[in-house]
Amino acid sequence: MERTWRWFGTTDKITLQMLRQIGVEGIVTALHDVPLGEVWTRASIRELREYIESYGMRWSVVESLPVTETMKYGGPDRDEQIAVYCQSLRNLAAEGIHTVCYNFMPVLDWARTDLLHPNPDGSSNLYFSYAEFAYFDINILKRKGAREAWLSMAPLTASDGSTIHRDILAEVDELAATMTPEGEHELVENIVIKTQGFVSGNFREDDEAPLEKFRLLLDRYRGIDKAQLRANMKYFLEAVMPVCDECDIDLCVHPDDPPIEILGLPRIVRTAEDIRWLLDAVDNPHNGLTFCAGSFSAGAYNDVTAMAREFASRTHFVHLRSCQILPNGDFTEADHLGGRANLVELCRTFMHEESRRGRSLPFRVDHGRTMLGDEARGYNAGYSFLGRMFAMAQMQGVIAALMNDG
Ligand code: DNO
């Protein structure tokens, strides 16, 4: 499997010199400076590609070419935006880049409530707390109907399949009793700014009124239910597939992270049934999947090993990461050799797939612990250096052992 690493461009504190020393072969990146909705020009793609190549690596995967909100909710300018998207795809292919990751999550790209959740050993991990997320929704965002929605929320499922009985509203009220303005500020930073700002999403690190923007975006989805969002995704896929065919681009959707419905928004890339739907809706090998084991493993209803086996033939990019669901239903990111996703088994499955195809599949370790001083270096949330390097070495060992077994 091709060892790749997500790198955020020339301003990333983790440099290509560093990555070369630790054995990275391919780079996963995007033109992070291009504003949402604008064409990625051939010249800018070439410049970044040549920069990467000057360090002896290749630009293997684009993560992500952003699908703008209008394409997701079906706004009046969606065809215009699809044309921009197609042009960027053509330009990428012309520069030799043929694997493109994207997501179809409304408004929020990914969500966590705590970015430095302490582990007993002194390192830290990303964490998602239902109570804190509900607090953000009800007390900070003040979304209309939020309290009622959390009240009627379906019970959470534990890792062993049992039902978790939890009074989220009581927990929110308990949090409210001790919450400080700093605590609220931190939640907004974690949910909206620090996790979204660097992934070329809707929010920037210097956004002055992120909550206003958030509410406006949520508004755009009024009346968009699961069926409508699916229809919009199918429309998008049907429109871009001819370009993918013409340019041999593997487009691979990233699952919803976490795989739950949040903020009253439909999320349609969460479960095996969703993936089956989207691969069948436009049955073309170029319409593929980014198999993000971390996102899938955060949902107790997802059997990650079975999903890998079922969808390997349509997987074009693999994210190796594993989550642990806690007894109260919250989840945290586990060690890469632990948690719900059996990454050893997943490597075996994808290595079989590689032999079947006769070409290698790019993988990257997704996220990693923050450890041994990573926390003081100002890396992007979840994208530490030492923690990710440690995880990559673990995965490299697993892959070497499997290769040895034949
Ligand atoms: C977060 C990432 C996501 C992912 C995009 C893909 O760490 O997994 O930002 O890159 O959703 O489009």
Side-chain angles (χ1 to χ4, degrees):
M1 293 176 79
E2 184 191 7
R3 219 154 40 240
T4 69
W5 181 280
R6 191 175 194 185
W7 174 74
F8 295 97
T10 49
T11 56
D12 194 328
K13 296 195 169 75
I14 300 168
T15 62
L16 294 182
Q17 281 102 320
M18 291 159 80
L19 297 183
R20 200 171 175 192
Q21 283 192 31
I22 65 170
V24 169
E25 298 164 324
I27 293 297
V28 174
T29 193
L31 293 185
H32 288 285
D33 293 338
V34 178
L36 279 182
E38 285 184 19
V39 171
W40 289 13
T41 64
R42 250 191 100 163
S44 339
I45 298 166
R46 185 181 314 127
E47 195 186 337
L48 190 60
R49 175 179 63 70
E50 287 176 349
Y51 181 75
I52 294 168
E53 287 170 359
S54 74
Y55 286 90
M57 290 172 281
R58 63 186 280 261
W59 184 351
S60 307
V61 180
V62 170
E63 181 171 357
S64 297
L65 184 58
V67 174
T68 50
E69 295 302 319
T70 189
M71 295 194 253
K72 297 180 209 161
Y73 62 76
D77 52 344
R78 99 165 128 178
D79 289 337
E80 227 167 85
Q81 278 295 301
I82 288 177
V84 166
Y85 205 88
C86 289
Q87 191 53 46
S88 299
L89 288 175
R90 285 195 192 95
N91 292 348
L92 284 163
E95 289 301 320
I97 300 151
H98 293 273
T99 308
V100 178
C101 166
Y102 71 102
N103 72 68
F104 219 80
M105 286 176 258
V107 186
L108 268 191
D109 180 313
W110 60 305
R112 296 291 183 279
T113 54
D114 189 352
L115 310 179
L116 290 171
H117 192 74
N119 294 319
D121 62 12
S123 62
S124 63
N125 266 339
L126 301 170
Y127 187 97
F128 184 90
S129 150
Y130 279 89
E132 287 185 354
F133 200 82
Y135 181 94
F136 166 80
D137 190 8
I138 298 169
N139 290 8
I140 301 180
L141 194 59
K142 300 189 167 55
R143 182 171 64 92
K144 210 163 152 248
R147 215 179 158 85
E148 297 69 31
W150 283 97
L151 183 66
S152 56
M153 158 186 142
L156 298 172
T157 313
S159 266
D160 63 5
S162 62
T163 298
I164 298 169
H165 298 284
R166 194 166 166 186
D167 186 345
I168 297 279
L169 290 186
E171 290 182 49
V172 168
D173 292 341
E174 219 172 279
L175 274 174
T178 54
M179 185 60 82
T180 58
E182 294 73 37
E184 288 207 349
H185 178 74
E186 197 179 327
L187 265 184
V188 174
E189 286 277 297
N190 290 352
I191 296 172
V192 190
I193 303 294
K194 288 190 186 154
T195 38
Q196 312 300 309
F198 70 92
V199 292
S200 315
N202 294 315
F203 301 93
R204 301 182 63 90
E205 268 151 36
D206 55 1
D207 265 338
E208 276 171 14
L211 292 177
E212 293 311 304
K213 199 169 180 186
F214 208 109
R215 291 187 189 106
L216 278 176
L217 281 169
L218 282 181
D219 238 32
R220 297 270 150 79
Y221 284 87
R222 225 183 273 150
I224 308 272
D225 59 6
K226 176 176 170 180
Q228 187 59 51
L229 192 63
R230 277 189 166 181
N232 294 353
M233 185 170 188
K234 187 166 183 220
Y235 183 94
F236 162 75
L237 285 170
E238 280 171 344
V240 297
M241 271 308 122
V243 178
C244 294
D245 288 340
E246 163 199 321
C247 306
D248 190 23
I249 290 225
D250 286 332
L251 199 64
C252 36
V253 69
H254 187 284
D256 301 339
D257 180 8
I260 55 173
E261 290 188 341
I262 52 173
L263 304 167
L265 295 164
R267 306 248 278 184
I268 56 170
V269 192
R270 308 185 298 125
T271 63
E273 193 265 322
D274 289 337
I275 310 297
R276 255 171 240 136
W277 173 82
L278 79 91
L279 298 179
D280 290 350
V282 180
D283 192 11
N284 178 328
H286 289 125
N287 169 27
L289 178 65
T290 296
F291 196 95
C292 178
S295 301
F296 288 137
S297 60
Y301 32 80
N302 285 332
D303 177 342
V304 188
T305 309
M307 288 171 85
R309 292 193 184 125
E310 180 173 350
F311 303 123
S313 67
R314 295 282 285 271
T315 294
H316 302 308
F317 181 32
V318 180
H319 283 185
L320 294 178
R321 169 165 77 81
S322 182
C323 282
Q324 190 62 57
I325 300 178
L326 302 172
N328 70 353
D330 286 355
F331 72 84
T332 183
E333 298 199 5
D335 182 271
H336 280 64
L337 294 178
R340 292 192 70 244
N342 182 341
L343 297 187
V344 176
E345 205 42 50
L346 256 53
C347 287
R348 199 195 310 275
T349 301
F350 290 118
M351 285 165 74
H352 277 150
E353 176 58 24
E354 285 184 318
S355 333
R356 195 189 66 82
R357 278 186 213 186
R359 65 187 163 101
S360 78
L361 259 175
F363 85 93
R364 71 171 178 87
V365 292
D366 191 19
H367 306 164
R369 278 184 287 166
T370 298
M371 64 200 292
L372 300 169
D374 276 333
E375 53 286 354
R377 298 236 150 82
Y379 300 137
N380 291 323
Y383 290 88
S384 62
F385 180 61
L386 295 175
R388 262 196 297 168
M389 177 170 85
F390 185 84
M392 190 177 79
Q394 287 177 310
M395 291 302 107
Q396 201 173 337
V398 166
I399 292 166
L402 291 171
M403 274 170 71
N404 203 40
D405 282 354

